[in-house]
Amino acid sequence: MSRPHGIPLPSARRSSDSNETESAFDDDKQGQPRPREGVRQLTGAERVRTLVENNASVSLTLPGARDSQAADEFGTGMPVARTVTPDGDVILLVSGESAAARAAAHAQDDDLPAVIEITDVAPVSVPHRIRGRAWLTGWLTPVRGSDRTACAVLLAERQPVGELLGMTESLDPPYAGRPAWMMLRLEVGEISVDDLWGAEHVEPDALAAAEPDPVSRHEAELLQHLYAAHGARLGELCGLLGSRGADGMTAVPLALDHLGLRVRFTGGAARPFDARFDFPEPVADVCGLRRAMHRLFSAAAH
């Protein structure tokens, strides 16, 4: 499947005079170092799947909108929930009064090109707080008929929301008679991600086969807790950095997944830098994560 005509998809490889890969997160621009070869990390598909199904900020844009006023509304569309089907389609729950819902309903079975942009922002205060972005382009249609129940179940499994309890009609004019909430399906054509791990394209089939990181649902709460209650212990991680560690540096937890913890070190004489602390083995749940964090802090204290 090719990208819908006329939709610019951010490239994972940006041209430069040296013909090297360039990213919005290159070290010399934002102080966010890329991982070294051999470091365990999520695949591009896993990272995108995690972004789709967590609470990162998302916008929905329809470049082919005919109504200029409605086109302005599309850029501010905020689906309240989303998930990925076994076939790799992205299901979005939007207000039935939104411009996106109106356009999808009006298009019927015609192709309606659309772009989903997801912005991942660190849940704690840290320099260069945007951790990455993902873009998914494709064709948008309403979820109809027997698919509605199956898609509602998928949404409820990943992101329980009260709106799914009753897909009722709106009672408020001028939208009376329209569904209060509408499920839209994005048939994905192309995917691009540019984040702390790197910039790359992801195949739609790979997105369908990937699973979101099991820690992602709890990441924001855990990072905020680490930052607020365990700042001193985070600072002890400097001892694991060898010559890179320095006195007077502040450690801020930046990202967490089932493979490890990423910390941003600021202050002191050195420029800000990130350090990745891999867990001895992947964790499957919060209990395993607590054990892995305890082992990490114990190693830093000795």
Side-chain angles (χ1 to χ4, degrees):
M1 182 183 299
S2 59
R3 171 169 50 87
H5 179 70
I7 299 181
L9 182 68
S11 174
R13 291 190 64 87
R14 296 171 172 81
S15 61
S16 65
D17 294 339
S18 60
N19 293 322
E20 295 179 352
T21 301
E22 183 184 358
S23 163
F25 298 99
D26 280 350
D27 295 354
D28 59 346
K29 294 183 178 180
Q30 294 203 20
Q32 304 193 58
R34 298 298 196 184
R36 298 175 181 176
E37 292 185 4
V39 174
R40 290 185 304 171
Q41 66 182 80
L42 303 180
T43 66
E46 289 171 332
R47 300 192 322 262
V48 173
R49 182 73 183 254
T50 299
L51 288 177
V52 169
E53 301 203 13
N54 71 8
N55 59 356
S57 174
V58 62
S59 65
L60 174 63
T61 304
L62 278 68
R66 300 173 185 173
D67 185 330
S68 60
Q69 180 178 0
D72 292 337
E73 297 179 46
F74 290 135
T76 60
M78 294 291 291
V80 297
R82 64 258 185 190
T83 191
V84 179
T85 71
D87 295 329
D89 296 339
V90 177
I91 303 300
L92 305 167
L93 182 66
V94 302
S95 168
E97 302 173 0
S98 67
R102 299 199 305 269
H106 178 75
Q108 297 296 326
D109 295 326
D110 294 335
D111 290 341
L112 184 63
V115 180
I116 295 175
E117 179 175 344
I118 305 172
T119 303
D120 181 29
V121 181
V124 296
S125 179
V126 63
H128 315 303
R129 195 166 178 176
I130 294 179
R131 302 187 298 190
R133 289 186 173 91
W135 299 264
L136 300 91
T137 71
W139 295 266
L140 200 67
T141 57
V143 177
R144 296 189 177 96
S146 59
D147 288 343
R148 287 166 54 85
T149 299
C151 290
V153 169
L154 280 176
L155 281 170
E157 287 176 350
R158 294 297 190 185
Q159 299 181 7
V161 289
E163 289 80 0
L164 288 170
L165 296 179
M167 306 285 281
T168 57
E169 294 182 346
S170 175
L171 301 178
D172 300 324
Y175 306 110
R178 293 182 181 175
W181 299 96
M182 180 181 286
M183 287 183 291
L184 303 178
R185 180 194 306 273
L186 183 77
E187 184 181 359
V188 179
E190 290 188 31
I191 306 167
S192 180
V193 61
D194 187 0
D195 60 11
L196 297 172
W197 291 111
E200 61 184 282
H201 291 295
V202 174
E203 293 297 327
D205 289 346
L207 178 68
E211 288 290 334
D213 186 86
V215 175
S216 63
R217 293 186 183 183
H218 311 284
E219 184 199 21
E221 178 184 358
L222 292 170
L223 289 181
Q224 290 168 354
H225 175 73
L226 284 173
Y227 183 57
H230 299 287
R233 302 198 71 179
L234 285 168
E236 293 176 353
L237 295 176
C238 278
L240 300 177
L241 301 179
S243 59
R244 296 188 72 191
D247 294 334
M249 301 199 75
T250 299
V252 181
L254 180 65
L256 181 67
D257 57 54
H258 75 291
L259 298 176
L261 171 70
R262 187 182 183 113
V263 178
R264 177 155 297 163
F265 291 91
T266 62
R271 59 174 291 185
F273 66 91
D274 288 358
R276 171 78 176 183
F277 299 92
D278 284 349
F279 299 143
E281 57 187 22
V283 300
D285 50 33
V286 174
C287 292
L289 180 61
R290 290 196 183 102
R291 292 192 294 269
M293 292 298 299
H294 177 75
R295 292 179 64 180
L296 176 60
F297 286 139
S298 295
H302 293 87

